[in-house]
Amino acid sequence: MTDETDPQTAIDAQREKHAHERDERVYEHTASDEQEGIPFIGAGPGDPRLLTVAGKEALESADLVVHAGSLVNSELLDAYCDHAELVNSVGKDLEELIPLMRDAYDEGREVIRLHSGDPAIYGAALEQMDALEHEDVPTYIVPGVTSAFAASATLRTQLTLNETANHVAFTRPQGKTLDPEDDHIADFVEMGDVTTCIYLGTHAVSDTMDRLLEAGADPETPVTVVYHASWPDEDVIEGTVADIGEKLADAGYRASALVLIGDAAAGAGYERSYLYDGWANRGGNTAESDD
């Protein structure tokens, strides 16, 4: 592999390009457009019915689907990809994945890169797209439903609620890819009106809650864990900062769960919004009476 085709060299070059100019395609296409190149599709949280129409249409014409292994429901692959060659990306590095997709695209095949959830949330999509673009293979994103939205639907609530949660934080706990000084979960929880959604942290819930307690968090702060949101084996575990770690350990889940901290996950304590109390229509009513 030459320097010109090395993925890291490509990523570095494209990253520098991003810093100085915006891709013209930004102004030519919307998120729903079918475009030239390899689409990076969000498969959604699990249930095949939560795949977008755009994603479904693209998959149905695919020749090669490079997918995120067990993070993508096999029922979705069976329903929409049974005609295509399937390649599991788990265990493959960029040095293997980029030539695989590039060569297939150059051969005229319809290539799909299928991510779990939405590629914009902890998807590591941009580095693949940059490496492909560097080799003149165009790419684009087809958004998907992220697991936090599926979890809130399961819980029959909103992530934002008037007077309860004005903000939403998508975050992950400290570990191999996040240094302790970059872990802001305690800051979000301390704010009080934030629904904190923790991705990629099922294995570290006990440690995360211990750090919250050390930082002075109220032990009774509600925490809800939704395992495999929208999958057939979905499970909901409710607790508090003080006891959710033990409850999750008893359930035996070590991955694939979304952790929500805050009252909004329970739909508790909110106040009626202004939207449906006449406030939003007052300007229109006044203007109409003036006529």
Side-chain angles (χ1 to χ4, degrees):
M1 181 176 293
T2 67
D3 284 346
E4 287 186 359
T5 60
D6 174 62
Q8 187 59 56
T9 300
I11 291 168
D12 292 342
Q14 292 296 114
R15 189 170 52 201
E16 179 68 18
K17 184 177 179 181
H18 294 324
H20 295 94
E21 61 181 283
R22 178 70 79 177
D23 192 308
E24 287 299 319
R25 288 170 294 183
V26 169
Y27 311 105
E28 298 169 354
H29 294 284
T30 69
S32 64
D33 286 350
E34 182 179 350
Q35 302 178 41
E36 179 185 356
I38 297 177
F40 279 62
I41 297 175
D47 191 298
R49 292 182 65 242
L50 295 180
L51 177 70
T52 66
V53 173
K56 174 179 177 291
E57 290 175 349
L59 286 173
E60 288 176 337
S61 64
D63 298 312
L64 170 65
V65 177
V66 181
H67 64 90
S70 62
L71 295 177
V72 175
N73 193 338
S74 60
E75 292 181 6
L76 185 150
L77 297 176
D78 291 340
Y80 304 127
C81 309
D82 63 343
H83 59 285
E85 178 186 355
L86 301 178
V87 174
N88 186 342
S89 64
V90 176
K92 295 180 174 60
D93 57 24
L94 291 181
E95 284 72 16
E96 185 174 356
L97 286 174
I98 299 307
L100 171 71
M101 291 188 283
R102 177 202 63 204
D103 292 347
Y105 180 80
D106 287 345
E107 291 167 3
R109 304 177 72 192
E110 293 291 331
V111 181
I112 303 288
R113 181 63 169 107
L114 188 63
H115 279 248
S116 60
D118 183 289
I121 305 294
Y122 299 115
L126 189 59
E127 61 195 51
Q128 299 170 69
M129 296 170 69
D130 278 349
L132 288 166
E133 294 275 351
H134 190 72
E135 297 194 41
D136 297 321
V137 177
T139 62
Y140 63 101
I141 292 174
V142 177
V145 177
T146 188
S147 59
F149 299 156
S152 65
T154 284
L155 298 173
R156 306 177 69 85
T157 188
Q158 300 175 200
L159 298 179
T160 59
L161 281 172
N162 192 37
E163 300 298 327
T164 296
N166 293 306
H167 315 280
V168 179
F170 290 169
T171 187
R172 66 185 302 177
Q174 57 184 262
K176 291 182 179 179
T177 58
L178 190 72
D179 294 331
E181 60 267 25
D182 296 320
D183 180 345
H184 299 300
I185 295 175
D187 299 324
F188 299 140
V189 173
E190 184 182 6
M191 292 176 188
D193 65 340
V194 178
T195 301
T196 304
C197 303
I198 303 177
Y199 287 73
L200 306 173
T202 315
H203 66 287
V205 168
S206 289
D207 290 343
T208 300
M209 298 303 131
D210 287 344
R211 286 193 290 271
L212 286 176
L213 291 172
E214 291 172 4
D218 182 349
E220 296 304 309
T221 302
V223 182
T224 305
V225 176
V226 181
Y227 170 76
H228 259 182
S230 84
W231 293 60
D233 60 346
E234 177 186 85
D235 194 11
V236 177
I237 302 172
E238 298 183 87
T240 65
V241 167
D243 65 16
I244 194 65
E246 183 178 351
K247 289 183 175 182
L248 194 61
D250 290 343
Y253 302 135
R254 294 282 298 168
S256 302
L258 196 285
V259 181
L260 301 100
I261 304 176
D263 289 321
Y270 75 94
E271 298 292 336
R272 177 174 173 171
S273 74
Y274 291 118
L275 186 58
Y276 299 114
D277 72 346
W279 176 85
N281 297 321
R282 287 174 190 169
N285 291 340
T286 300
E288 186 174 335
S289 63
D290 288 343
D291 290 339

